[in-house]
Amino acid sequence: MSAHADPTLWVRSRSKPSALAKLFDNKTFLIFICLAPALGLLLVFLTYPLGLGIYLSFTDTQLGKPGVWVGLENFQYLLTDRVFLNTVWNTIFYTAAATAAKFALGLWLALLLNENVPLKSLLRAIILLPWITPTVLSAIAFGWIYDPQFSIISYVFKHLGLISTNFDFLGTPWHARWSLVVANTWRGIPFVAISLLAGLQTISPSLYEAAMLDGASGWQRFRRVTVPLLMPILAVVLTFSVLFTFADFQLVYAITRGGPINSTHLMATLAFQRGIPGAALGEGAAIAVSMIPFLVIATLFSYFAVGNRKWQQGSDDDV
Amino acid sequence: MAEVSIRDVRKAFGATQILHGVNVEVADGEFVILVGPSGCGKSTLLRMIAGLENISSGDISIGGRVVNNVAPKERDIAMVFQNYALYPHMTVRENMAFSLILAKAPKAVLEQKVGRAADILGLTQLLDRYPRQLSGGQRQRVAMGRAIVRDPQVFLFDEPLSNLDAKLRVQMRGEIKDLHQRLRTTTVYVTHDQIEAMTMADKIVVMQGGNVEQIGAPLDLYDRPANLFVAGFIGSPAMNFLKGRIQGGAFRVGDMLLPLGSTRGVAEGMPVVYGIRPEHWRLDDGGIPATVRLVEPTGSETQVVAEFAGHRVVCAFRERVTARPGEILCITPDPACVHLFDDATGMRLA
Ligand SMILES: Nc1ncnc2c1ncn2[C@@H]1O[C@H](COP(=O)(O)OP(=O)(O)OP(=O)(O)O)[C@@H](O)[C@H]1O
Ligand SMILES: [Mg+2]
């Protein structure tokens, strides 16, 4: 055709869109189609087990023996169970101590990495190491580090002539608790440090320069510029960190198995202990279900208390 | 007393030399503008005055005191950043009062100073807003308010208007100038916009590639640019340049002869650059016949791109020209307004 000879005569052809194309242009349909796989997965792998767990917690099911509905009996029993109450207390202690340590050290590392330190990228890679190591592996390593006979720390101190008998890392309740807090902190720091570093890097350097000209000292710049601007991301990281720590299982189970005398059990390990090896599925489920209120409260607290500031509202163009 | 004096200041980032010995004197109460193309080192120089960059060599003194090793907060200067650098988590009031809060000023002083600055800048209604809830121009004003509250010896501005739209820029230009008339604070202002420089400055420092090309009052730079760079940089539309030689007391380009005002400092046959601003062409029936290429009426004047002897020149006429592209227009330069530059060095001859 002559349209090909003269490019100015060419017009974009306007074909009618097919029914399928029209369907995919429909927003509701698109939302549904895109969400369906995720919803399906959540339904099968999250909602179903969670629902089953909650159901089990109201029964006296044993391993291999279907139980009957007992209402709140499991929970009533747990409220009188010293081991369970101790475990709740220990879980809160473990979460609080480890989170505090992770945030203190993580923030410090993030601030350090945000400065122009030499070998920055190498340092950053090293900091990520604890995180990329599989938890069980690091738990086993910590098991050896804390071993009553073969502990490397005891070995070093002994050879330096500083102590004459080995450290007893896991032998008494408090030693064991603190040892676990250290292990969890070591493992959790990378997440906190790298997330906070990302947050720090979103703060424009000119804000610090402006504050410097306004007469702010280093500490004042940190307290009045860095901290408030870091709050939103701090809230998110805090929430996640609390959730991970509170629901921790692997470290404790691999290092102490809840011992000595049940003093280091977390709710997750106790639930497993009672439910699987102890065969009391219903009771184990009840312990697991009792974690839910704690988690919900922790999430709500960090979300509302720390995040979501008024100054974040409004247009976003380059404040 | 707060004059700023910059003496033989050099700056290198690592091995790269950015400033090659800059000398500028800013008198007390003067409004000085650093202007130059992007990357010429204006911001770097300003940040060195503020103390945000260290000085590789040379001296900067403020109010007679050498401040090379004085911390930024001790220099008694206030700076308005290009991106305003407002604290997003503070209200307008807190942003402006921040320096006073840090200095533990009494509440009454704080209220009074912030109130006065807000009054000057028309921000009184916005004091409880957060920066995100402000428009660009309002943010710009808050940034100035923060500087005014400080009552500093010197104001430093780094391209404060470049994020604003054209109309607002003109308005803020006026406001900043007005502010300076009222406060009479020594000001160093950076821009790459020569119109901003021409309209606002008491004194302009033209920079290029880390060197100062010329320092002078706006109209002095306009009337007597020291070299080709300044001649081409100041003025819009830019000055026309024609390359040729001196012949018989006139300027020869191709087979045309253009008149000269003065022939001081030029020798017969010397290769020179002939500079003539667009508004210094006149319509003249006895002039050079030039072919019209483009006509741009702006209302107040008519800009015409014309071509003769293979050269295109821009002319701006006060009268309305009705010529159409392709037609011939006879034009002649005003000999008194001709600039001559040495073709080899680019320096001004006459
Ligand atoms: N921290 C730095 N390290 C290395 N080079 C730098 C640094 N800061 C600036 N420069 C270089 O110094 C030169 C001058 O930069 P400067 O920011 O002063 O330019 P400018 O005149 O303000 O330009 P613009 O009008 O684009 O803002 C540029 O070539 C830039 O690449
Ligand atoms: Mg700049």
Side-chain angles (χ1 to χ4, degrees), chain B residues 266-295:
Chain B
V266 298
E268 181 73 13
M270 186 178 179
V272 293
V273 178
Y274 184 94
I276 181 84
R277 294 201 181 275
E279 66 271 28
H280 295 148
W281 290 103
R282 274 184 295 111
L283 290 171
D284 176 2
D285 291 339
I288 306 153
T291 318
V292 174
R293 293 293 176 212
L294 195 66
V295 182

Short mmCIF file of all heavy atoms in Angstrom, two decimals, chain B residues 266-295:
data_model
loop_
_atom_site.label_atom_id
_atom_site.label_comp_id
_atom_site.label_asym_id
_atom_site.label_seq_id
_atom_site.Cartn_x
_atom_site.Cartn_y
_atom_site.Cartn_z
N VAL B 266 44.85 48.35 19.82
CA VAL B 266 44.81 47.38 18.73
C VAL B 266 45.72 47.83 17.60
O VAL B 266 45.89 49.02 17.36
CB VAL B 266 43.37 47.18 18.19
CG1 VAL B 266 42.48 46.62 19.26
CG2 VAL B 266 42.81 48.46 17.64
N ALA B 267 46.30 46.84 16.95
CA ALA B 267 47.20 47.15 15.85
C ALA B 267 46.57 46.68 14.56
O ALA B 267 45.74 45.77 14.56
CB ALA B 267 48.54 46.45 16.07
N GLU B 268 46.95 47.31 13.45
CA GLU B 268 46.46 46.93 12.13
C GLU B 268 46.74 45.45 11.86
O GLU B 268 47.82 44.94 12.16
CB GLU B 268 47.17 47.82 11.09
CG GLU B 268 46.76 47.59 9.65
CD GLU B 268 45.36 48.13 9.34
OE1 GLU B 268 44.82 48.90 10.15
OE2 GLU B 268 44.80 47.76 8.29
N GLY B 269 45.70 44.76 11.39
CA GLY B 269 45.88 43.35 11.00
C GLY B 269 45.79 42.36 12.14
O GLY B 269 45.88 41.16 11.94
N MET B 270 45.59 42.88 13.36
CA MET B 270 45.56 42.01 14.53
C MET B 270 44.29 41.15 14.52
O MET B 270 43.20 41.63 14.24
CB MET B 270 45.56 42.91 15.75
CG MET B 270 45.67 42.19 17.05
SD MET B 270 45.72 43.44 18.35
CE MET B 270 45.83 42.40 19.76
N PRO B 271 44.41 39.84 14.81
CA PRO B 271 43.22 39.00 14.92
C PRO B 271 42.48 39.28 16.24
O PRO B 271 43.10 39.20 17.30
CB PRO B 271 43.76 37.57 14.88
CG PRO B 271 45.18 37.66 15.28
CD PRO B 271 45.65 39.07 15.03
N VAL B 272 41.24 39.64 16.15
CA VAL B 272 40.48 39.98 17.35
C VAL B 272 39.10 39.32 17.32
O VAL B 272 38.65 38.82 16.29
CB VAL B 272 40.27 41.51 17.49
CG1 VAL B 272 41.58 42.23 17.73
CG2 VAL B 272 39.56 42.05 16.27
N VAL B 273 38.44 39.32 18.49
CA VAL B 273 37.04 38.92 18.58
C VAL B 273 36.23 40.18 18.83
O VAL B 273 36.54 40.96 19.72
CB VAL B 273 36.82 37.88 19.69
CG1 VAL B 273 35.34 37.53 19.79
CG2 VAL B 273 37.65 36.63 19.44
N TYR B 274 35.22 40.35 18.03
CA TYR B 274 34.38 41.54 18.07
C TYR B 274 33.11 41.16 18.82
O TYR B 274 32.40 40.23 18.43
CB TYR B 274 34.08 41.93 16.63
CG TYR B 274 33.29 43.18 16.38
CD1 TYR B 274 33.95 44.39 16.12
CD2 TYR B 274 31.90 43.15 16.33
CE1 TYR B 274 33.22 45.53 15.84
CE2 TYR B 274 31.17 44.30 16.05
CZ TYR B 274 31.84 45.49 15.80
OH TYR B 274 31.14 46.62 15.51
N GLY B 275 32.85 41.83 19.94
CA GLY B 275 31.66 41.48 20.72
C GLY B 275 30.64 42.60 20.68
O GLY B 275 30.99 43.76 20.87
N ILE B 276 29.39 42.23 20.43
CA ILE B 276 28.33 43.25 20.40
C ILE B 276 27.06 42.64 20.98
O ILE B 276 26.66 41.53 20.61
CB ILE B 276 28.12 43.79 18.96
CG1 ILE B 276 27.03 44.86 18.92
CG2 ILE B 276 27.81 42.69 17.98
CD1 ILE B 276 27.54 46.24 19.27
N ARG B 277 26.48 43.32 21.95
CA ARG B 277 25.28 42.77 22.59
C ARG B 277 24.09 42.90 21.66
O ARG B 277 24.02 43.83 20.84
CB ARG B 277 25.00 43.49 23.90
CG ARG B 277 26.07 43.25 24.93
CD ARG B 277 25.58 43.53 26.33
NE ARG B 277 26.64 43.30 27.29
CZ ARG B 277 26.95 42.11 27.80
NH1 ARG B 277 26.26 41.04 27.44
NH2 ARG B 277 27.94 42.00 28.65
N PRO B 278 23.12 42.01 21.77
CA PRO B 278 21.95 42.01 20.87
C PRO B 278 21.26 43.37 20.81
O PRO B 278 20.85 43.81 19.74
CB PRO B 278 21.04 40.95 21.49
CG PRO B 278 21.96 40.02 22.18
CD PRO B 278 23.10 40.85 22.68
N GLU B 279 21.15 44.07 21.97
CA GLU B 279 20.40 45.33 21.96
C GLU B 279 21.22 46.48 21.40
O GLU B 279 20.72 47.59 21.28
CB GLU B 279 19.90 45.66 23.37
CG GLU B 279 20.97 45.97 24.38
CD GLU B 279 21.46 44.73 25.11
OE1 GLU B 279 21.39 43.62 24.53
OE2 GLU B 279 21.93 44.87 26.25
N HIS B 280 22.47 46.25 21.03
CA HIS B 280 23.30 47.32 20.48
C HIS B 280 23.36 47.29 18.95
O HIS B 280 24.19 47.93 18.34
CB HIS B 280 24.70 47.29 21.11
CG HIS B 280 24.66 47.59 22.58
ND1 HIS B 280 25.55 47.04 23.47
CD2 HIS B 280 23.82 48.37 23.30
CE1 HIS B 280 25.25 47.47 24.69
NE2 HIS B 280 24.21 48.27 24.62
N TRP B 281 22.50 46.50 18.35
CA TRP B 281 22.30 46.60 16.90
C TRP B 281 21.17 47.58 16.67
O TRP B 281 20.23 47.64 17.44
CB TRP B 281 21.88 45.24 16.32
CG TRP B 281 22.95 44.19 16.30
CD1 TRP B 281 23.06 43.15 17.16
CD2 TRP B 281 24.01 44.06 15.37
NE1 TRP B 281 24.14 42.38 16.83
CE2 TRP B 281 24.75 42.91 15.74
CE3 TRP B 281 24.44 44.81 14.25
CZ2 TRP B 281 25.88 42.47 15.05
CZ3 TRP B 281 25.55 44.37 13.57
CH2 TRP B 281 26.27 43.22 13.97
N ARG B 282 21.31 48.36 15.59
CA ARG B 282 20.23 49.27 15.22
C ARG B 282 19.77 48.95 13.81
O ARG B 282 20.56 48.42 13.01
CB ARG B 282 20.72 50.73 15.26
CG ARG B 282 20.65 51.38 16.63
CD ARG B 282 21.06 52.84 16.56
NE ARG B 282 22.46 53.03 16.18
CZ ARG B 282 22.87 53.55 15.01
NH1 ARG B 282 21.98 53.95 14.12
NH2 ARG B 282 24.15 53.68 14.75
N LEU B 283 18.53 49.26 13.53
CA LEU B 283 18.07 49.16 12.15
C LEU B 283 18.57 50.40 11.43
O LEU B 283 18.42 51.51 11.94
CB LEU B 283 16.54 49.11 12.09
CG LEU B 283 15.93 47.80 12.64
CD1 LEU B 283 14.43 47.94 12.74
CD2 LEU B 283 16.32 46.64 11.75
N ASP B 284 19.19 50.22 10.28
CA ASP B 284 19.80 51.37 9.60
C ASP B 284 19.87 51.03 8.11
O ASP B 284 20.50 50.04 7.72
CB ASP B 284 21.20 51.59 10.19
CG ASP B 284 21.93 52.70 9.47
OD1 ASP B 284 21.33 53.32 8.56
OD2 ASP B 284 23.10 52.95 9.82
N ASP B 285 19.23 51.84 7.30
CA ASP B 285 19.18 51.52 5.86
C ASP B 285 20.56 51.48 5.24
O ASP B 285 20.79 50.78 4.26
CB ASP B 285 18.30 52.55 5.14
CG ASP B 285 16.84 52.36 5.53
OD1 ASP B 285 16.53 51.23 6.00
OD2 ASP B 285 16.05 53.31 5.43
N GLY B 286 21.51 52.21 5.84
CA GLY B 286 22.86 52.17 5.30
C GLY B 286 23.71 51.07 5.91
O GLY B 286 24.91 51.02 5.71
N GLY B 287 23.11 50.20 6.70
CA GLY B 287 23.88 49.19 7.44
C GLY B 287 24.18 47.95 6.63
O GLY B 287 24.09 47.95 5.40
N ILE B 288 24.50 46.90 7.35
CA ILE B 288 24.87 45.65 6.71
C ILE B 288 23.61 44.89 6.33
O ILE B 288 22.74 44.69 7.18
CB ILE B 288 25.69 44.78 7.68
CG1 ILE B 288 26.88 45.58 8.21
CG2 ILE B 288 26.13 43.48 7.05
CD1 ILE B 288 27.34 45.13 9.56
N PRO B 289 23.50 44.48 5.09
CA PRO B 289 22.33 43.67 4.74
C PRO B 289 22.46 42.27 5.32
O PRO B 289 23.45 41.58 5.04
CB PRO B 289 22.36 43.65 3.21
CG PRO B 289 23.77 44.01 2.84
CD PRO B 289 24.41 44.72 3.98
N ALA B 290 21.50 41.87 6.15
CA ALA B 290 21.56 40.55 6.78
C ALA B 290 20.25 39.82 6.52
O ALA B 290 19.18 40.44 6.48
CB ALA B 290 21.78 40.69 8.29
N THR B 291 20.34 38.51 6.32
CA THR B 291 19.14 37.72 6.06
C THR B 291 18.49 37.34 7.38
O THR B 291 19.15 36.82 8.27
CB THR B 291 19.52 36.43 5.31
OG1 THR B 291 20.49 36.77 4.32
CG2 THR B 291 18.30 35.81 4.66
N VAL B 292 17.20 37.59 7.49
CA VAL B 292 16.49 37.23 8.72
C VAL B 292 16.28 35.73 8.75
O VAL B 292 15.86 35.12 7.77
CB VAL B 292 15.13 37.97 8.77
CG1 VAL B 292 14.31 37.49 9.95
CG2 VAL B 292 15.36 39.47 8.82
N ARG B 293 16.62 35.10 9.86
CA ARG B 293 16.41 33.66 10.01
C ARG B 293 15.27 33.33 10.97
O ARG B 293 14.59 32.34 10.82
CB ARG B 293 17.69 32.99 10.54
CG ARG B 293 18.84 33.02 9.55
CD ARG B 293 18.54 32.16 8.35
NE ARG B 293 19.59 32.24 7.37
CZ ARG B 293 19.40 32.13 6.06
NH1 ARG B 293 18.17 31.95 5.59
NH2 ARG B 293 20.40 32.21 5.23
N LEU B 294 15.11 34.17 11.99
CA LEU B 294 14.13 33.87 13.02
C LEU B 294 13.68 35.17 13.64
O LEU B 294 14.49 36.06 13.86
CB LEU B 294 14.81 33.00 14.09
CG LEU B 294 13.95 32.27 15.10
CD1 LEU B 294 13.11 31.20 14.39
CD2 LEU B 294 14.85 31.60 16.13
N VAL B 295 12.38 35.32 13.89
CA VAL B 295 11.88 36.52 14.57
C VAL B 295 11.13 36.08 15.81
O VAL B 295 10.25 35.23 15.75
CB VAL B 295 10.93 37.31 13.64
CG1 VAL B 295 10.45 38.58 14.35
CG2 VAL B 295 11.64 37.67 12.35
#
